[in-house]
Amino acid sequence: MFFITGVCAQLSALCVHAGGVGQSAADPLPRMMRPSFLVHATSHLLLHEEDAARKLLGFTPLIAGHRSHPLRAEDAEKDLKRLEAVGCRPACIVLEVPHRELGCESVDFDELVAFRVLADKYQVPLHVDGARLFEIQPFLGRPLKDIAALCDSLYISFYKALGLPGAFSSRPGCPWGVAPLLARWIC
């Protein structure tokens, strides 16, 4: 699915995941009163989008990890455990690959797999901000389809790599049916 801007794609993903968590009577852990997402302190969504997720959509970013290195699954799990202990969970985990503010430092493929396992364990969707994924893919050492298969939703910027507008991709077989739900967010 194509979006004209990256921020539109990213905020749409947050909205879709917020609507898909805690809506079922069978869901043992409802979302928080105000939708939230787990994110690194240096996330592009926090630093370069004028805090639109909070100001425009009412989301609460839950900061995880250390500012000096990319978010790690073990850091995210500490926060997910705390939330689970009080009967809550975020709408999604947002992982930037690579981290722009950290000199494009990135988690490796094994760490992406660890995030997938973590997301499944806590039943929280994994959204990857992969705006520079084309550039970091050789470092990850896997085909793009293998990387994308780990994500519940994935933002890829064709603008940065190819000079085309941004785009949004969703994981095939995503239990939340992300792609069809995104259509309503395109103006």
Side-chain angles (χ1 to χ4, degrees), residues 120-133:
D120 290 341
K121 178 179 177 180
Y122 289 92
Q123 299 177 359
V124 175
L126 176 61
H127 173 72
V128 172
D129 176 349
R132 292 165 179 80
L133 193 61

Side-chain angles (χ1 to χ4, degrees), residues 49-115:
E49 301 301 346
E50 300 179 25
D51 206 14
R54 181 192 320 255
K55 293 177 182 174
L56 183 63
L57 301 174
F59 278 83
T60 300
L62 305 173
I63 309 301
H66 303 280
R67 291 187 69 86
S68 62
H69 59 77
L71 183 59
R72 296 182 180 139
E74 66 186 45
D75 296 327
E77 185 163 27
K78 291 174 189 174
D79 290 298
L80 291 170
K81 278 183 183 178
R82 282 190 280 247
L83 289 169
E84 185 180 60
V86 295
C88 293
R89 67 169 163 233
C92 63
I93 300 166
V94 175
L95 181 63
E96 193 171 335
V97 179
H99 277 270
R100 173 183 169 188
E101 291 297 316
L102 297 175
C104 287
E105 187 177 345
S106 182
V107 297
D108 61 21
F109 187 78
D110 290 338
E111 190 69 12
L112 282 175
V113 171
F115 269 100

Side-chain angles (χ1 to χ4, degrees), residues 116-178:
R116 175 75 262 148
V117 170
L118 184 68
D120 290 341
K121 178 179 177 180
Y122 289 92
Q123 299 177 359
V124 175
L126 176 61
H127 173 72
V128 172
D129 176 349
R132 292 165 179 80
L133 193 61
F134 289 121
E135 292 82 357
I136 200 72
Q137 181 269 329
F139 166 77
L140 295 172
R142 297 294 201 290
L144 290 171
K145 67 177 184 160
D146 292 352
I147 298 164
L150 298 173
C151 310
D152 290 297
S153 56
L154 168 65
Y155 168 69
I156 299 173
S157 174
F158 292 125
Y159 169 77
K160 289 174 181 61
L162 306 173
L164 301 172
F168 185 93
S169 175
S170 65
R171 176 178 169 219
C174 174
W176 293 276
V178 173

